[in-house]
């Protein structure tokens, strides 16, 4: 049975939910599932915007047939050629062999890298600013390279002011019947998952997000329809401002993310001692993560949210504890920057954690270490509490 909805006049949501996938891109945990959005404009001509992951092909094709009924599909716009959105292009072309597939040159390069079909008779290559009128609706194409992949483009529907924004403004999490952000308790249900999606999927490409923002007709955008998560028709400044903050690596809140690795609980204990001291100095937002327990995407999301950090790790094999190093390397790749915080190392017979940590942080932009890093000898002793007090004071004063 079809699961579709006319979201605005002549524009239908025909996407679907995947509540079985364990990890997005086989990396990022999906405790609340994920939605793949796709949209169908039914005007004098019909236009499908993107397809969905192959996991939900059956539901998806039923949705499209249900909305089109006896009509054919005239156009398929490919805003993004990543398989979570493009896996049904061949199925659509097989169902509607006369369809014209619209993309840019890279779109079709990538298509032929992934798939076997010859699209040469079906393809229409567009570039920045090209338009297509299909009746009352006119589509204008904006290239959005590296918002998430190089072939990404956005499609702006001019008559109703709809920005079809590919991965941008997307979120992890199922669409539980309600499709619009204003139909649900968005801050509770989706803010964290939208940030986690941004930080981990698009986080590296802040400057490219900013570049496309400058070219979009922001004053004409009335709705934003992304490829994942809720659709936007109200409160656009809310999501636009968040994207502006995240893509400029500006902290959303003043607070401290404390991240540790700990083999026998001693580094962990030092972090909780420090958290206690920070709380007593008036810091309200304190988040604590164990790299061995929590998947990095959640930690990274908090690091994009909060202004300050505490990084604490033991030495391991005369190096930095490996899951901790992996997290810092991932942050380097994500261009995480513009934060301040303090460092804690721990070792029994050879100190390396702090040096490796400092080296990795040195590869990042505008990361400032406050105070003197504390290098614990196996476990924190009372005679060194003063050093931790000094770190708590300098950090809390900087946060406040
Ligand atoms: Fe949702 Fe970049 O794919």
């Amino acid at each position: 049975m079809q699961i579709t909805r006319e979201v605005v006049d002549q524009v239908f949501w025909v996407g679907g939910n995947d509540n079985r996938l364990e990890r997005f891109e086989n990396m990022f945990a999906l405790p609340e599932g994920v939605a793949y959005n796709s949209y169908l404009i039914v005007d004098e001509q019909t236009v499908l915007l993107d397809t969905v992951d192959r996991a939900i092909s059956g539901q998806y094709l039923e949705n499209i047939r249900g909305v089109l009924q006896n009509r054919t599909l005239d156009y398929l716009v490919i805003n993004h050629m990543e398989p979570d959105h493009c896996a049904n292009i061949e199925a659509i072309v097989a169902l509607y062999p006369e369809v014209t597939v619209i993309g840019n040159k890279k779109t079709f390069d990538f298509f032929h890298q992934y798939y076997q079909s010859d699209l040469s008779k079906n393809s229409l290559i567009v570039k920045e600013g090209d338009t297509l009128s299909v009746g009352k609706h006119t589509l204008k194409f904006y290239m959005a390279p590296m918002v998430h992949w190089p072939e990404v483009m956005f499609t702006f529907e001019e008559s109703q002011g709809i920005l079809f924004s590919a991965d941008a403004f997307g979120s992890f999490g199922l669409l539980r019947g309600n499709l619009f952000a204003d139909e649900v308790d968005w801050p509770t249900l989706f803010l964290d998952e939208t940030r986690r999606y941004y930080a981990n999927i698009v986080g590296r490409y802040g400057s490219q997000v900013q570049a496309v923002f400058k070219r979009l007709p922001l004053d004409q955008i009335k709705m934003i329809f992304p490829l994942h998560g809720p659709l936007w028709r109200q409160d656009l400044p809310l999501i636009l401002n968040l994207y502006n903050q995240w893509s400029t690596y500006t902290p959303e809140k003043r607070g401290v993310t404390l991240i540790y690795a700990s083999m026998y609980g001693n580094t962990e204990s030092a972090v909780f001692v420090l958290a206690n001291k920070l709380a007593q100095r008036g810091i309200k937002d304190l988040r604590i993560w164990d790299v061995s327990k929590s998947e990095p995407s959640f930690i990274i999301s908090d690091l994009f949210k909060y202004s300050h950090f505490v990084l604490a790790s033991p030495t391991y094999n005369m190096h930095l504890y490996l899951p901790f190093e992996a997290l810092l390397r991932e942050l380097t790749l994500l261009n995480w920057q513009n934060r301040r915080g303090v460092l804690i190392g721990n070792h029994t017979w050879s100190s390396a954690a702090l040096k490796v940590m400092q080296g990795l942080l040195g590869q990042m932009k505008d990361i400032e270490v406050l105070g003197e890093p504390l290098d614990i000898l196996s476990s924190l002793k009372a005679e060194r509490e003063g050093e931790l007090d000094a770190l708590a004071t300098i950090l809390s004063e900087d946060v406040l």
Side-chain angles (χ1 to χ4, degrees), residues 16-21 34 36 52-60 83-84 87-88:
N17 285 301
D18 188 347
N19 203 15
R20 295 189 169 197
L21 185 66
V34 67
Y36 307 109
V52 297
D53 191 271
R54 66 181 173 184
I56 60 164
S57 297
Q59 178 70 59
Y60 180 63
D84 56 331
N88 282 277

Side-chain angles (χ1 to χ4, degrees), residues 215-272:
R215 286 186 286 106
L216 287 174
L218 291 176
D219 55 336
Q220 296 170 43
I221 296 173
K222 296 191 177 71
M223 287 169 267
I224 297 174
F225 290 2
L227 288 178
H228 302 284
L231 289 56
W232 291 84
R233 63 183 173 188
Q234 292 180 17
D235 307 322
L236 265 58
L238 169 66
I239 188 70
L240 287 167
N241 287 339
L242 283 168
Y243 255 66
N244 200 38
Q245 283 181 314
W246 296 335
S247 60
T248 53
Y249 306 94
T250 305
E252 213 181 307
K253 281 197 93 174
R254 298 196 78 76
V256 185
T257 311
L258 302 93
I259 303 154
Y260 67 86
S262 190
M263 284 182 280
Y264 299 104
N266 293 300
T267 312
E268 178 182 51
S269 172
V271 165
F272 278 91

Side-chain angles (χ1 to χ4, degrees), residues 210-343:
Q210 285 291 310
V212 74
F213 268 18
K214 289 187 174 66
R215 286 186 286 106
L216 287 174
L218 291 176
D219 55 336
Q220 296 170 43
I221 296 173
K222 296 191 177 71
M223 287 169 267
I224 297 174
F225 290 2
L227 288 178
H228 302 284
L231 289 56
W232 291 84
R233 63 183 173 188
Q234 292 180 17
D235 307 322
L236 265 58
L238 169 66
I239 188 70
L240 287 167
N241 287 339
L242 283 168
Y243 255 66
N244 200 38
Q245 283 181 314
W246 296 335
S247 60
T248 53
Y249 306 94
T250 305
E252 213 181 307
K253 281 197 93 174
R254 298 196 78 76
V256 185
T257 311
L258 302 93
I259 303 154
Y260 67 86
S262 190
M263 284 182 280
Y264 299 104
N266 293 300
T267 312
E268 178 182 51
S269 172
V271 165
F272 278 91
V273 171
L274 179 56
N276 183 37
K277 292 179 184 299
L278 290 170
Q280 292 184 65
R281 285 164 173 77
I283 308 297
K284 288 199 164 46
D285 282 297
L286 293 166
R287 300 281 291 163
I288 299 186
W289 296 98
D290 176 351
V291 294
S292 300
K293 184 175 176 182
S294 298
E295 200 235 290
S297 69
F298 294 91
I299 306 173
I300 287 167
S301 183
D302 265 355
L303 287 166
F304 269 71
K305 179 176 182 180
Y306 291 108
S307 56
H308 289 74
F309 60 82
V310 172
L311 301 177
S313 174
T315 293
Y316 192 93
N317 276 341
M318 290 178 276
H319 193 74
L320 181 58
Y321 192 80
L322 280 172
F324 207 93
E325 184 190 11
L327 176 72
L328 293 187
R329 289 201 181 279
E330 197 166 351
L331 286 167
T332 308
L333 291 177
L334 291 171
N335 276 332
W336 180 69
Q337 55 188 266
N338 189 31
R339 298 293 191 276
R340 293 207 284 262
V342 304
L343 306 183

Side-chain angles (χ1 to χ4, degrees), residues 96-140:
Y96 304 103
E98 302 303 316
V99 69
T100 297
V101 182
I102 297 176
N104 54 61
K105 183 179 175 305
K106 275 204 168 63
T107 312
F108 292 105
D109 290 346
F110 290 0
F111 178 86
H112 291 115
Q113 287 172 215
Y114 275 105
Y115 303 112
Q116 310 303 325
S117 305
D118 177 9
L119 281 188
S120 54
K121 291 200 197 82
N122 295 72
S123 59
L124 173 63
I125 293 180
V126 292
K127 55 185 186 329
E128 175 88 6
D130 285 355
T131 59
L132 172 74
S133 181
V134 294
K136 282 193 269 180
H137 295 87
T138 298
L139 305 177
K140 187 169 184 177

